[in-house]
Amino acid sequence: MTLRSLFGALLIVLPGIVVGLSGYTFYYARGYSYLLDDPQACINCHVMRDNHIAWGVSSHRNVTCNGCHVPHHPITQWYAKAESGIRHSYVFTFDNPQVLRLSPSGERTVEANCIRCHASTLSAVFHREGVRCFDCHRGVGHAF
Amino acid sequence: FERQQEARLMYLKITDIPEGEPDPAVWKVNFPRQYEAYLKTMRTSEMIQYSRWGRYGGSEAFSKLDKHPNYVRLFAGHPFSVDYREETGHMFTLRDMLASQRLGDQKPGACMACKSSHVPNFVRQYGAETLYKTPVKELVEQHGFKHPVSCADCHNAQTMELQITRVTFAEAMSRRGIDLSTATRQEMRSYVCAQCHSEYYFKGKDRYLTFPWDKGLSVDSIAAYYDAYGFSDWTHAESKAPMVKIQHPEFELWSTGLHARANVSCADCHMPYRSEGGIKVTDHWIRTPLANLTNACLTCHRQSEQEMRERVLQMQDRTYSLLTRAEHAIISAIDGVKAALAAGATDADLKEARRLHRQAQVRWDFISAENSMGFHSSQEAARMLGDAIDYARQAELEAYKVLTRRGMRTQRSSYPINDRNNP
Amino acid sequence: FERQQEARLMYLKITDIPEGEPDPAVWKVNFPRQYEAYLKTMRTSEMIQYSRWGRYGGSEAFSKLDKHPNYVRLFAGHPFSVDYREETGHMFTLRDMLASQRLGDQKPGACMACKSSHVPNFVRQYGAETLYKTPVKELVEQHGFKHPVSCADCHNAQTMELQITRVTFAEAMSRRGIDLSTATRQEMRSYVCAQCHSEYYFKGKDRYLTFPWDKGLSVDSIAAYYDAYGFSDWTHAESKAPMVKIQHPEFELWSTGLHARANVSCADCHMPYRSEGGIKVTDHWIRTPLANLTNACLTCHRQSEQEMRERVLQMQDRTYSLLTRAEHAIISAIDGVKAALAAGATDADLKEARRLHRQAQVRWDFISAENSMGFHSSQEAARMLGDAIDYARQAELEAYKVLTRRGMRTQRSSYPINDRNNP
Ligand SMILES: [Ca+2]
Ligand SMILES: [Ca+2]
C-alpha cells in the first residue's frame, strides 16, 4: 500500500526514472510479449496460469485474452495496452497480489467487449445498470 | 457509448400503444413473444405433475384448509378460515379474487388493487382513495374491469421501461426515505413485483391500502409497527387474542436474504432470459423456477439442475419441519388458554398469554403466508420460526401458570407432537 | 469449485524425516515456510484485537463460564461447569489440555488422542487401547509427550501426502461403509481435520474413544444413537436428567451445509493458499478466516472483504439470538422441574420432563459447542435450535402439568426473557 502511494508520487515527480524502471522490469518480465495477441504471452507469469487453464476449458477458448481484456476501439486500444502493460510491470516489481481482481477499468473493458460481440443477441432486451454480464455468466471466460 | 446503443430496445413498432392500455392483446401486436409466454401463466400444473419438480409451490389452486386442517383453528374467526388457496398464475388474478368466498360479494375496491391491469388508468383518473372505496362488484359491473394482471401493471407503453403503477408502494418507500426516481433498472426488476407481493393492511375505516414498513422490513419491525399502531385484523375466536393476518411477504423476506444482498432480483429467477434463435428475451411465463432451473439458476450457479433442485428442497424441508412444529405449538397454546378459561381464568389473567399468542402467530404466518417455503431467506425463516415456537409455548405456559397460581385442577394433556425429529 | 492444485510437490529435500516424527523442528529443515506459519498459531489475539474482525471466535482462551454465567447451571454436575474455555491455536493443544481443571490430573490417555503429535507413533507401537488407558500424567512423564498437534498428525513423512493417523475416525467411517483408501485429495483436506474436530464419547469402562456416527451425522441421528445406546455423560445436578455433553462437532455441522455440498473443504477456508514470491503455499497459520478473508473467501466469492465479513456476522448474529433463546428456555425448564420436585413430584411424574430436557440440551449444545456460531451450516443450525426451544419449553410444561394434574400450588413466575426480539 505505502509502496503503491510512494510509487504514485514517483510517477508525478520523476517520470524519467519511472519510465526507465518500468522499461527494465517490462523487459525482465518478457513484457514485450504483452503486446501480442497470443494467450501464451499471458502465462509468462505464474499468476496468470490459473486463468489460462480455466480459459482453456471455457466456452470462450476460441476468444483470445485480449479479445475480452483489451478495448477494441481503434484509438483507445494501444493506449490501454500501454497503460495496462505499465501497471503490469509495476505490479510485478512491487506487488505480490494474493487474489487477482479486475480493476474498475478492467471491468468496463470486459463488459464493453461482451457487448461488442453479442450486441445482436442483446438487441431485443434492455441493458441493466447495477449488474455486469459476468455477474450471471460467471466464468464464461474462465470456467472457475 | 455501448450502453446507449444497448439501452435502446429494438423491436418492430407496428402500433402505438396508449399508456395504461389494460388489454394485453393490444400490446401483443408489437410484442408477440412476451404475449405468448404471458398466456402460459394460465397453465395450471396439477400437484401430481408439479411434484416432479417441487413440494411446496406450483400452480394448482388447491385449498390450503384441506391440506392443513389446523389452519381452520389457527384463523378461527377470520375470512381465511373460510376459503384459502394456493396461488396460481397471473392470468387468473382477477378470476380467483372474484371467485374467492372470502368476503363473498362484499369485497372492497382495495381487493382490486393487485388483481387487474385496469387499476393504473382508474387511479390516474379518480385517485386511489376512490378505488379502495368503490366495491369490487361496482368496479366490474360499472367500470368494466375484466383484465387480470398484465402489461400495463409493469410497463410504460411508450418506452417499455418498467414503472411503478401502485401508489401504495411509492408511499411506503418514500416514508422509508427511498427515492424511486433514482432506482436502477436492476432494482426495478424487484420493485415492480414488490407492488403486490408484499404484506399489507387496510388503514382506518376508509380501508386505505398501506404497507407496514415504517420501522423496517423484518418480521420484528413489522410486528412492532402493528403493536405500536395498536392494529389487529381480527380477534381470535378461541383464544380471544387480537391477531394480525400476514399476506405474501415475498418482497420482505427476500430483502433479508443472500440473493438480495447479491443484487439478484425477482425477475432474475422468475423471469429469466430465454434465447429464441440467438435472440434474448425475458421469459414472461412467470412461475416456479423449479420448473425452469436451467435458465433460472444455472447461468449463475454452475452446478447441475439436480443439485440445484436438491438444495432448494433441502432448505424448504427444513423450513417446513419448523413450520409444523410452530403450528403444533400454537394449537397447544390455544388449547391452553381455553383450558384456563374453562377453569375460570379472567381476561386480566390471560392478557400476557394472548399477547404471546399474537406474537407467535405473526411470526409463524410470515413464513406460512410467504410463498417460497423459506427459500427466499432460509436462515431468517428458520430464525423467526424458532421465535414463534418460543412465544407459543410461553403462551401455553402462561395459561398453566394461571392455573397453578390459583391451584386450579385440569386433566387435559397437551397436543400430541407427531414430528420426524421427535425420538 | 475445487481450486487448481499443483499436481506434484517440488521441494529441496535436505534431510530424511522419519515417519511419525513428532518434533516439527525436524520437518522445518525441508519445509521452512510451512513451519514458520505453523508457529504463528501461538499468536493469541486478545478479544479487543479480534473484535476488529469478528464476535464469536478468535484465539483468546477466555473462560466461557465467565462470559455465559448460565453455563454453570446448564452443565451442573459436569466437569465443564468447572473450567470451559474458548479454544486457541494448534501450538497450544497440549499445554491447554494439561492446564485445564477439567478432571484435574486424573485425565485418561484418551484426552491425549487429539492433543499431541506423539500419538501416531505411540499408537503404532502400543495400540490405541493402551493410549486411552494410560493416564495423561504417565504419557507426559514416562513417554515424554511434549509436542502439540503438529506435522506428523496430518502428513506422511515420505510423500508429504495427507494421511489419517487417528483410528477413531477410520473406525467410525468404516462403520458407515466409507472406504478411506478411495478418498479424494479434496476429501482428505477435510478428513484430516475431522479426526479431531468431531463429537466423541468414551465407550465402556475402558473409555474407548468413539464417534457416534452409526446412524448418521445430523444432530437427530447422533441424539438417536445415544438414546438407543442408553448413553449419558452425567446426571444433571438440578433436574436429575441423564445428559449428553456435545463437543466441537465442526465436521458434523459442516457436512450438513452448502459448502460441503459444493465440495469446499476445511482447508480451503482455514488453510487457503498464499502466494509467496510467486509460489503458492498452503497457509499453515490455521485460524479464523475472518482475519484472512481475501485468501480464504475471495478466490471463490467475487464480493468484497467487507461484504463477506458482513454476511458471516449476520448469519452468526441470527444463530446467537436463537442460541440465547434456547439457553433461557432450558434454564426455565430446569427451574420448572425443581419447582415440581419442591412441590412433591415423584421421579415417575418427571420422567417425560427429564427426557425433554435431555433432548433440548443436546441440540442447544450442538451449536454452543460447535465453533463457527452456526456459519458452517446456517439454516440447519437455526433449525435445531428451534427444535431445542420446543423441547425445552415442553419440558417446563410437563413439570407444570404434573402440578396441575395434582392441583398443586406454586407461586414462582418463570425465568425473565431478556431478548432483543421480545417486543
Ligand atoms: Ca403457487
Ligand atoms: Ca477460538
Side-chain angles (χ1 to χ4, degrees):
Chain A
M1 269 298 113
T2 45
L3 274 178
R4 228 179 246 278
S5 41
L6 173 96
F7 187 73
L10 286 174
L11 249 175
I12 304 157
V13 185
L14 305 161
I17 297 177
V18 177
V19 171
L21 173 62
S22 55
Y24 165 69
T25 48
F26 198 55
Y27 173 80
Y28 172 74
R30 312 241 323 273
Y32 54 81
S33 56
Y34 187 84
L35 305 177
L36 310 176
D37 259 351
D38 176 4
Q40 283 303 325
C42 309
I43 56 170
N44 293 331
C45 289
H46 183 99
V47 284
M48 296 288 103
R49 200 170 295 154
D50 285 359
N51 297 85
H52 187 269
I53 297 165
W55 165 77
V57 296
S58 79
S59 58
H60 287 70
R61 58 191 160 287
N62 299 327
V63 177
T64 66
C65 311
N66 285 341
C68 286
H69 290 291
V70 174
H72 285 251
H73 185 271
I75 308 118
T76 51
Q77 168 156 202
W78 290 100
Y79 162 74
K81 277 198 180 182
E83 183 225 18
S84 169
I86 288 173
R87 172 189 166 73
H88 268 101
S89 53
Y90 134 63
V91 158
F92 187 70
T93 313
F94 295 99
D95 219 343
N96 190 359
Q98 290 300 329
V99 179
L100 296 189
R101 272 284 180 281
L102 283 186
S103 59
S105 69
E107 286 184 356
R108 282 193 299 276
T109 304
V110 169
E111 178 95 358
N113 280 317
C114 307
I115 295 164
R116 174 174 61 89
C117 294
H118 293 292
S120 63
T121 308
L122 301 164
S123 59
V125 295
F126 286 105
H127 181 76
R128 307 183 353 224
E129 328 81 74
V131 216
R132 304 162 305 181
C133 304
F134 45 89
D135 283 333
C136 290
H137 299 285
R138 289 203 250 182
V140 270
H142 326 267
F144 289 114
Chain B
F1 57 97
E2 299 86 353
R3 274 171 191 261
Q4 285 135 14
Q5 157 205 333
E6 237 264 322
R8 174 150 46 72
L9 181 68
M10 296 177 199
Y11 67 94
L12 197 56
K13 189 173 188 177
I14 296 165
T15 162
D16 258 317
I17 303 168
E19 178 61 8
E21 171 58 51
D23 184 354
V26 176
W27 302 61
K28 168 188 185 179
V29 182
N30 290 350
F31 310 108
R33 282 209 195 80
Q34 288 78 8
Y35 178 79
E36 268 136 38
Y38 160 80
L39 288 186
K40 296 208 185 108
T41 62
M42 272 193 299
R43 296 201 191 163
T44 52
S45 54
E46 265 82 50
M47 252 300 162
I48 304 89
Q49 185 194 343
Y50 165 77
S51 63
R52 282 179 296 136
W53 305 307
R55 295 182 193 131
Y56 305 102
S59 304
E60 182 186 357
F62 61 79
S63 164
K64 291 190 176 180
L65 302 175
D66 297 347
K67 192 179 176 193
H68 313 283
N70 280 334
Y71 281 29
V72 177
R73 288 191 63 196
L74 290 165
F75 297 120
H78 189 277
F80 271 89
S81 63
V82 178
D83 189 359
Y84 190 4
R85 302 180 174 280
E86 167 68 11
E87 93 296 37
T88 152
H90 279 172
M91 279 292 284
F92 292 129
T93 49
L94 184 56
R95 183 204 70 174
D96 291 348
M97 185 268 284
L98 296 174
S100 176
Q101 290 160 48
R102 289 205 297 276
L103 304 180
D105 56 7
Q106 299 308 307
K107 302 186 178 86
C111 298
M112 190 62 85
C114 303
K115 300 293 189 291
S116 167
S117 54
H118 292 272
V119 169
N121 275 351
F122 186 94
V123 169
R124 216 173 281 113
Q125 213 174 332
Y126 308 100
E129 295 84 351
T130 323
L131 175 76
Y132 304 151
K133 282 205 230 83
T134 321
V136 161
K137 235 169 154 314
E138 195 177 316
L139 291 171
V140 173
E141 287 162 9
Q142 281 149 57
H143 298 277
F145 279 51
K146 64 171 183 291
H147 294 293
V149 171
S150 161
C151 323
D153 290 311
C154 302
H155 287 287
N156 172 299
Q158 275 62 50
T159 63
M160 285 314 288
E161 281 178 6
L162 296 175
Q163 67 183 11
I164 299 303
T165 57
R166 303 306 199 262
V167 293
T168 319
F169 180 72
E171 290 161 352
M173 292 298 265
S174 72
R175 284 202 303 282
R176 294 180 59 220
I178 296 164
D179 174 5
L180 291 177
S181 67
T182 65
T184 65
R185 173 162 271 129
Q186 179 65 1
E187 286 168 335
M188 289 300 284
R189 290 167 56 92
S190 294
Y191 288 169
V192 287
C193 317
Q195 299 182 93
C196 301
H197 288 269
S198 303
E199 156 64 3
Y200 68 89
Y201 76 105
F202 297 148
K203 190 171 196 162
K205 58 175 178 354
D206 294 351
R207 291 224 183 70
Y208 195 80
L209 182 58
T210 312
F211 292 162
W213 296 345
D214 299 18
K215 293 174 185 284
L217 296 181
S218 74
V219 68
D220 301 311
S221 322
I222 288 174
Y225 172 95
Y226 283 130
D227 294 342
Y229 177 63
F231 177 82
S232 70
D233 278 302
W234 91 104
T235 300
H236 197 277
E238 297 189 24
S239 80
K240 304 285 181 289
M243 307 294 287
V244 174
K245 176 74 185 84
I246 298 292
Q247 272 124 178
H248 37 75
E250 277 88 54
F251 178 68
E252 294 89 333
L253 188 63
W254 164 83
S255 306
T256 66
L258 267 156
H259 282 103
R261 282 196 84 102
N263 199 11
V264 181
S265 72
C266 314
D268 290 341
C269 298
H270 291 282
M271 304 181 74
Y273 291 115
R274 269 187 323 113
S275 62
E276 296 187 1
I279 301 293
K280 271 173 91 159
V281 294
T282 300
D283 190 342
H284 280 62
W285 182 8
I286 295 174
R287 59 184 155 146
T288 169
L290 293 188
N292 187 27
L293 287 164
T294 301
N295 291 41
C297 322
L298 299 196
T299 21
C300 295
H301 296 276
R302 289 197 320 294
Q303 288 83 0
S304 68
E305 271 217 0
Q306 179 62 10
E307 166 61 14
M308 292 316 281
R309 169 172 294 106
E310 277 167 18
R311 277 193 193 176
V312 174
L313 292 180
Q314 183 183 44
M315 295 160 101
Q316 292 184 315
D317 287 346
R318 282 181 184 143
T319 308
Y320 189 66
S321 79
L322 280 175
L323 192 69
T324 312
R325 243 180 215 287
E327 177 185 315
H328 293 159
I330 296 172
I331 291 285
S332 293
I334 295 171
D335 289 341
V337 173
K338 282 169 71 181
L341 282 166
T346 68
D347 283 355
D349 290 332
L350 294 171
K351 195 164 181 306
E352 178 63 2
R354 287 170 178 155
R355 185 188 72 81
L356 289 162
H357 175 204
R358 171 188 167 104
Q359 295 303 330
Q361 193 157 333
V362 161
R363 287 163 175 77
W364 165 83
D365 206 3
F366 206 86
I367 299 308
S368 159
E370 208 274 345
N371 285 285
S372 69
M373 191 51 78
F375 173 82
H376 290 144
S377 187
S378 60
Q379 192 201 13
E380 173 65 1
R383 186 196 65 78
M384 73 180 81
L385 286 171
D387 288 1
I389 291 166
D390 198 21
Y391 286 121
R393 292 294 180 191
Q394 285 184 58
E396 188 178 3
L397 272 159
E398 277 306 315
Y400 275 97
K401 291 193 186 114
V402 172
L403 299 174
T404 50
R405 270 200 298 278
R406 307 274 196 78
M408 296 176 187
R409 187 183 294 272
T410 161
Q411 283 306 329
R412 76 169 273 278
S413 66
S414 80
Y415 188 88
I417 300 124
N418 54 347
D419 169 13
R420 64 168 178 75
N421 294 335
N422 201 330
Chain C
F1 267 84
E2 277 182 48
R3 236 120 34 72
Q4 239 72 35
Q5 289 152 339
E6 309 312 298
R8 152 164 58 63
L9 175 68
M10 279 172 275
Y11 68 95
L12 194 56
K13 189 171 186 179
I14 295 165
T15 160
D16 257 317
I17 303 167
E19 177 60 9
E21 172 56 51
D23 184 355
V26 176
W27 302 62
K28 168 189 184 178
V29 183
N30 289 349
F31 309 110
R33 282 208 189 77
Q34 289 78 8
Y35 178 79
E36 267 133 40
Y38 160 79
L39 288 186
K40 295 209 186 105
T41 62
M42 269 191 300
R43 297 198 191 167
T44 50
S45 55
E46 268 79 50
M47 252 301 160
I48 304 89
Q49 185 195 341
Y50 164 77
S51 62
R52 282 179 293 135
W53 305 306
R55 294 182 194 131
Y56 304 101
S59 304
E60 182 187 358
F62 61 79
S63 164
K64 293 189 176 181
L65 302 175
D66 297 347
K67 192 180 178 192
H68 313 282
N70 279 334
Y71 281 28
V72 178
R73 289 191 61 197
L74 290 165
F75 297 119
H78 189 277
F80 271 89
S81 63
V82 176
D83 189 359
Y84 190 4
R85 303 180 173 280
E86 165 69 10
E87 93 296 36
T88 154
H90 278 171
M91 279 293 284
F92 292 129
T93 48
L94 183 56
R95 184 205 68 176
D96 291 348
M97 185 270 282
L98 296 175
S100 176
Q101 291 160 47
R102 289 205 299 275
L103 303 181
D105 56 6
Q106 300 307 309
K107 302 187 180 85
C111 297
M112 190 62 85
C114 302
K115 301 293 188 290
S116 166
S117 54
H118 291 272
V119 169
N121 274 352
F122 186 96
V123 169
R124 215 174 282 114
Q125 213 175 332
Y126 308 101
E129 295 83 351
T130 322
L131 175 75
Y132 305 150
K133 282 205 231 86
T134 321
V136 163
K137 236 170 152 311
E138 194 177 316
L139 291 171
V140 173
E141 288 161 9
Q142 281 149 55
H143 298 279
F145 279 49
K146 63 171 184 288
H147 293 295
V149 171
S150 163
C151 323
D153 290 311
C154 301
H155 287 286
N156 172 301
Q158 274 63 49
T159 64
M160 285 314 287
E161 279 174 359
L162 296 175
Q163 67 183 12
I164 299 303
T165 57
R166 303 307 197 260
V167 292
T168 318
F169 180 73
E171 289 161 353
M173 292 298 266
S174 73
R175 285 202 302 281
R176 295 179 56 219
I178 296 165
D179 175 3
L180 291 178
S181 66
T182 65
T184 66
R185 178 171 169 196
Q186 182 65 7
E187 285 167 337
M188 288 302 283
R189 289 166 57 90
S190 294
Y191 287 169
V192 287
C193 318
Q195 300 182 93
C196 302
H197 288 269
S198 302
E199 156 63 4
Y200 68 90
Y201 75 106
F202 297 148
K203 189 169 197 165
K205 59 173 177 356
D206 293 352
R207 292 226 183 68
Y208 195 80
L209 181 58
T210 313
F211 292 162
W213 295 345
D214 299 15
K215 293 174 187 286
L217 296 180
S218 75
V219 67
D220 301 311
S221 323
I222 289 173
Y225 171 95
Y226 283 131
D227 294 341
Y229 177 63
F231 177 82
S232 69
D233 279 301
W234 91 104
T235 300
H236 196 279
E238 298 190 20
S239 79
K240 304 284 182 292
M243 306 296 285
V244 174
K245 176 72 185 84
I246 299 292
Q247 273 126 179
H248 38 74
E250 277 87 53
F251 178 68
E252 294 89 334
L253 188 63
W254 164 84
S255 306
T256 66
L258 267 155
H259 282 104
R261 283 198 83 101
N263 200 9
V264 181
S265 72
C266 314
D268 286 333
C269 298
H270 291 281
M271 303 182 76
Y273 289 111
R274 291 184 63 261
S275 74
E276 294 185 3
I279 302 172
K280 265 187 175 181
V281 296
T282 300
D283 189 343
H284 281 63
W285 183 8
I286 295 175
R287 59 184 156 149
T288 169
L290 294 186
N292 187 26
L293 287 163
T294 299
N295 294 48
C297 321
L298 300 196
T299 30
C300 298
H301 294 278
R302 322 303 298 180
Q303 290 82 358
S304 67
E305 271 214 359
Q306 179 60 13
E307 165 62 14
M308 294 315 284
R309 170 173 292 105
E310 278 166 18
R311 275 193 193 177
V312 174
L313 292 180
Q314 182 183 45
M315 294 160 102
Q316 292 183 314
D317 287 346
R318 283 182 183 143
T319 307
Y320 189 67
S321 78
L322 280 176
L323 192 68
T324 312
R325 241 180 216 289
E327 177 184 314
H328 293 158
I330 297 172
I331 292 285
S332 292
I334 295 171
D335 289 341
V337 173
K338 281 169 72 181
L341 282 167
T346 68
D347 284 355
D349 291 332
L350 293 172
K351 196 164 182 305
E352 178 63 1
R354 288 171 176 153
R355 184 187 73 81
L356 289 162
H357 174 204
R358 172 187 167 103
Q359 294 305 329
Q361 192 157 334
V362 162
R363 287 163 175 76
W364 166 82
D365 206 5
F366 206 86
I367 300 307
S368 160
E370 208 275 342
N371 286 283
S372 70
M373 192 49 79
F375 172 82
H376 291 146
S377 187
S378 60
Q379 192 201 14
E380 173 66 1
R383 185 195 66 77
M384 73 180 80
L385 287 170
D387 288 0
I389 291 166
D390 198 22
Y391 286 121
R393 292 294 180 191
Q394 285 184 56
E396 188 177 2
L397 272 159
E398 276 305 314
Y400 276 97
K401 288 188 187 122
V402 172
L403 299 173
T404 50
R405 270 202 294 280
R406 306 273 196 79
M408 296 175 186
R409 188 183 294 273
T410 162
Q411 283 306 328
R412 75 169 274 277
S413 65
S414 81
Y415 187 87
I417 300 124
N418 54 349
D419 169 14
R420 62 166 181 76
N421 296 334
N422 202 330

